[in-house]
Amino acid sequence: MDIFLQQIINGLVLGSIYALVALGYTMVYGILGLINFAHGEVVMVGALVAYSIMTALLPTGMPPVLLALLALLVAAPVCMGLAWAIERYAYRPLRHAPKLAPLISAIGVSILLQNLAMMIWGRSYHSFPDILPAITYDINGAHISLLQVVTIALAALTMAVLAWLIQRTSLGQAMRATAENPAIAELMGIPVNRIITLTFIIGAALAALAGLMVGANYSVAHYYMGFMLGLKAFTAAVLGGIGNITGAMLGGLLLGLIESLGAGYIADLTGGFLGSHYQDIFAFLVLIGVLVFRPGGLMGERVSERA
Amino acid sequence: MSLHKRHTLSATALILATLGLTACGNKDAAPAASGEVTIKIGHAAPLTGPQAHLGKDNENGAVMAIDELNSRGVTLGGNKVKFVLISEDDQADPKAGTTVAQKFVDQKVNGVVGHLNSGTTIPASRIYSDAGIPQISGSATNPTYTQQGFKTTFRVFANDVHQGQALAQFATQSLKAKTIAIVDDRTAYGQGLADEFKKAAEAAGARIVAQEFTTDKATDFKAILTKIKASNPDILFFSAMDAQGGPALKQARELGLKATFLIGDGGCTPEFIKLAGNAAEGQYCSLPGVPLEKMPGGTVFKEKYKQRYNQQIQLYAPYVYDAVMVMADAMQRANSADPTKYLPEVSKAQYQGVTAKIEFDAKGDLSVPAVSIYQDKGGDWNFVETLGVTAAAPAKK
Amino acid sequence: MKMAGRFLARLRNPNGSSMHWVAWVVLGVLLATMPWIIGASFGNTWLRILNFALLYVMLALGLNIVVGFAGLLDMGYIAFYAVGAYLWALLASPQFGLHWPLWAILPLGAAVAGLFGVLLGAPTLKLRGDYLAIVTLGFGEIIRIFLNNLNAPVNITNGPQGISAIDPVHFGSVSLARPIDLGFTTLPSLVAYYYLFLVAALLIIAIALRLESSRVGRAWAAIREDEVAAKACGINTRNVKLLAFAMGATFGGVAGGLFAGFQQFVSPESFGLLESVMVLCMVVLGGMGHIPGVILGALLLTLLPEFFRHIAAPLQQSLFGKVFVDPESLRMLLFGLALVLVMRYRPSGLWPSPQRRREIDDVLNTDAPADLPVNPT
């Protein structure tokens, strides 16, 4: 029983991290219908900037939590600036280009950022400092650390704030209008470009937070970390219904749980024929299954669907 | 956008492409000083992508060897020679590996050190073999590499079989493990080593209680570690690189998994200790060869590397250094850098390298592949014992 | 190569869909003599790169059927390449002790890959755009993971170690892996492979051209433009879509088989997601749905990184007097930048079909709201 509980905890933590990254994907997709392939790379930059700040300030003897906050205060604006530049120079000119052009542009940005990061931070893996004291709680033999509790809570909080922002504020209203129809939103006096830029910037702030949490949870930061993470998060966003904030959270958690339970029980389920190396197959099969029966993802997609 | 601009752009693209092809005609003509003969050594490893840090480390090792040879001043056939390193990025991609190999052959390199991965080393070895160019890898561990029947393939590193056996011997005899869990990262390296380890450990009477898998891009290992915890093994053998092993060890301890952690050469790095933090204390790793400190010139090499690159040796730099040195040694004995002339001398090598005494068997593998075990004490890998040693290598403590 | 440049410019001639016969002859002579010219003046490296470029031309044309003709975004295309390559590897290597000849494996490879295409297509018929993208991406990964893991309990693919010592392409006792004695001259191995790949590529180009203007091709175009309308016109969208997946996959299967024979070693790492993305980039960058454009895209994206490999260091040397940015990082950096810039300035690809370019121009020039976001408000 404690093993099962532990797998659930593992899955929830992993899922929360996916969700944090997936929220950024889903926001941009919701408003532009664009797969922002470079989002994983923005998360990577966030993690590496946070790493640099924290290791630089480590000798001052500040408490780790304060360090983490300072790191976030630097990492977030850097990511926001980066996202602004990406949107302005790589995506905006392509807004009316054929559908796949922005995708290729995004892949280009992704390669560009990876190699820039490699030049700046070098090729080695960096050990990410602890941001919270190593306190572990024991629930029925299963372990959960303070950091993991905070990770889950942060993901839930972020989702709630975003949902509030989009549903209850005038900015959110403008975002929804832009997602519905940018041309008409423009006519209604909504500064469409500013709204889109803002969406990217909010997504980037989330990416910085996600980068910090990924680094802290796995104690590694590396210029190549964004790729796989981005892919998984994107899968999570699609699973939940891309463009849908609650869907991203749900998709993230679900993907985390599937991976964790898959790795834990796939061998027992198949009588030892398939092992944990088929974990990703398991995840993708669930994804395909969900999409075959619910082509819009679990929670349904955003309100408007562009043809 | 105006039509005019479009045409300019496409024209530019075409000109670029044309230039590209013409520019390569006069590539890399290494200028030699008068009276000097240039000897080109090719080096291939992934210098971009996720394994770039190891690739660069390999390159550093090769550069140090080349510089040392040049400062020492070598004469072959009465001519003073200058060694030049041509380093290429094979992206750890088999296809790029053969392209790079072809480039070396076209440039008429006198020998090749590399590649880093077995997946690139094997397809490239066919091209070197066809061209008769000796190839010495300092890190490819797949046994197949030297078993293809090529005369040009050598490695200065224990292959999976040797290292797997040594690790299993250490686990079952020195650590007296009865139950063992194995994790591999499903790469050619991780899976190959894990399989050999498993065979040898089972033969030695240990029971494999869990075998789990991860990938070389994974960061979260908690699911498989939780499962392993349920089988409560004495030892966890983690067959992967440091970037996965370090975090995995840390996560294992967070989950309360108490098994002794054992990792192969891919984890025998300062990086591993950095990534695992305090959890690394008391855990073990293996590395082919004998410790640098025990070899003549080893400590000097270590210090020089640190000074020059402002970082510790990552992993394979000393082996690649040895690979270049063995090659140069063979050239000196043959008194020629002509591959056909010095190739037989490579097989006859009796070279005292910084990692081991290098002698090859008929296939081109090390004839006495020693493997050393290290334990982390206070944040450093400390030598424990050397396995598979004969009189050829220095006696152990 | 300058001649080739001028020649391509001529191909671009907007009013000439039918080329002058002189142009055909020039093209034929150029293609036939290409390996000798390149081998002699630039070395065998470029010949090998050219051979890989031809394989990518086949792949890009196959993916173009799915993405360009039928408008279905497939991000797992490399799976079919993998299927073809592994089929060759299994049927012509010591792995199972089988040594089947080319004429048996290649058609079988094409057929099996086509079957996999249908397998992928069937469950995804209802999915559109980005959902299809992620599912196909997953499909590609599933194939790769199976190839990577099917070494136990029964060893089929030899797992991550890959399969080595694969038979080279051979016709009877004549192996393409060794120089071939033709009596009056010897044909180097790389040149022989070039001709083989060229023939295969030309065949695939011919099939693709025929398909484009066929009944099926028009049905694909109809689906791409408006699926509902196509259905209303009586097109069996299910069958037509499945046919697109199957046709695209067969091209991939053929290219994969040739790759295995050429390389004589296959391992799962050659069939990663990045390869799928790269082929997709070739199709889009070149000009989606336009066969000459796609060929150009495949050639450029195979040659460009190699080109950067050759200039990254010398360029810095001559500009700044020393190499201060490591040439390898710079190479991929420039590659990423090239993708962004080409899309920025030629969003419909380097060489789109004339019709498509007109449509884009219409959108960009006449649609008033479309202009709004370009000017910051």
Side-chain angles (χ1 to χ4, degrees), chain A residues 29 94-96 123 193 305, chain C residues 128 130 325-326 343 370 373:
Chain A
Y29 190 92
L94 296 179
R95 217 171 280 160
H96 297 279
R123 293 175 163 89
N193 272 319
E305 166 64 18
Chain C
R128 275 162 298 123
D130 307 316
V325 177
D326 154 25
M343 284 298 110

Side-chain angles (χ1 to χ4, degrees), chain C residues 2-353:
Chain C
K2 287 212 181 84
M3 209 164 82
R6 241 177 268 136
F7 184 73
L8 282 173
R10 184 168 179 162
L11 279 176
R12 281 190 50 123
N13 186 3
N15 54 19
S17 58
S18 61
M19 287 197 310
H20 196 267
W21 64 271
V22 178
W24 282 111
V25 172
V26 173
L27 182 65
V29 171
L30 197 69
L31 286 176
T33 51
M34 183 94 94
W36 303 99
I37 299 170
I38 287 186
S41 47
F42 305 115
N44 285 331
T45 317
W46 284 93
L47 197 47
R48 185 172 282 275
I49 295 168
L50 191 66
N51 284 351
F52 280 124
L54 284 173
L55 285 177
Y56 278 105
V57 166
M58 297 180 217
L59 283 176
L61 284 171
L63 182 61
N64 182 49
I65 291 188
V66 186
V67 179
F69 289 176
L72 304 162
L73 180 50
D74 183 349
M75 291 190 62
Y77 183 71
I78 213 72
F80 308 122
Y81 186 52
V83 166
Y86 264 88
L87 205 75
W88 181 295
L90 293 175
L91 295 178
S93 78
Q95 176 75 356
F96 292 137
L98 296 172
H99 299 281
W100 288 23
L102 169 114
W103 54 264
I105 310 178
L106 266 196
L108 188 68
V112 173
L115 188 72
F116 271 84
V118 174
L119 270 179
L120 164 68
T124 56
L125 285 171
K126 276 194 290 184
L127 300 176
R128 275 162 298 123
D130 307 316
Y131 292 92
L132 187 62
I134 194 82
V135 168
T136 47
L137 186 154
F139 175 81
E141 283 295 281
I142 288 175
I143 299 283
R144 188 187 60 82
I145 294 171
F146 268 116
L147 292 176
N148 201 30
N149 292 322
L150 282 178
N151 61 323
V154 186
N155 187 358
I156 301 171
T157 63
N158 208 24
Q161 309 294 335
I163 299 175
S164 51
I166 298 173
D167 298 352
V169 176
H170 57 101
F171 299 95
S173 61
V174 182
S175 162
L176 265 56
R178 305 257 148 254
I180 300 167
D181 191 7
L182 294 178
F184 59 96
T185 179
T186 45
L187 202 57
S189 164
L190 283 172
V191 176
Y193 272 110
Y194 168 84
Y195 285 127
L196 176 72
F197 290 0
L198 184 67
V199 169
L202 288 175
L203 213 64
I204 281 180
I205 292 171
I207 297 174
L209 281 170
R210 296 290 299 167
L211 276 175
E212 188 183 17
S213 54
S214 72
R215 201 181 143 84
V216 186
R218 276 174 283 131
W220 285 333
I223 289 181
R224 178 185 68 209
E225 299 306 330
D226 190 334
E227 192 173 339
V228 180
K231 206 165 188 168
C233 293
I235 293 172
N236 184 335
T237 54
R238 186 195 61 195
N239 288 0
V240 169
K241 271 188 183 179
L242 283 181
L243 194 63
F245 275 116
M247 282 309 302
T250 51
F251 291 8
V254 170
L258 293 174
F259 171 70
F262 179 47
Q263 190 86 329
Q264 292 178 259
F265 173 82
V266 294
S267 65
E269 59 205 335
S270 294
F271 310 104
L273 174 63
L274 275 177
E275 287 286 303
S276 285
V277 170
M278 204 50 84
V279 181
L280 183 67
C281 286
M282 291 170 183
V283 173
V284 179
L285 200 87
M288 215 166 66
H290 188 225
I291 290 169
V294 171
I295 298 171
L296 178 70
L299 291 177
L300 268 186
L301 284 202
T302 338
L303 300 181
L304 212 56
E306 295 303 326
F307 169 57
F308 288 146
R309 184 199 288 281
H310 286 271
I311 64 154
L315 192 72
Q316 289 184 56
Q317 196 79 49
S318 57
L319 283 183
F320 310 107
K322 62 175 183 144
V323 180
F324 73 101
V325 177
D326 154 25
E328 303 309 335
S329 337
L330 194 64
R331 179 163 70 95
M332 289 315 280
L333 197 87
L334 288 176
F335 183 69
L337 196 65
L339 287 186
V340 176
L341 287 181
V342 170
M343 284 298 110
R344 170 80 168 76
Y345 292 104
R346 298 190 66 87
S348 46
L350 287 170
W351 192 359
S353 64

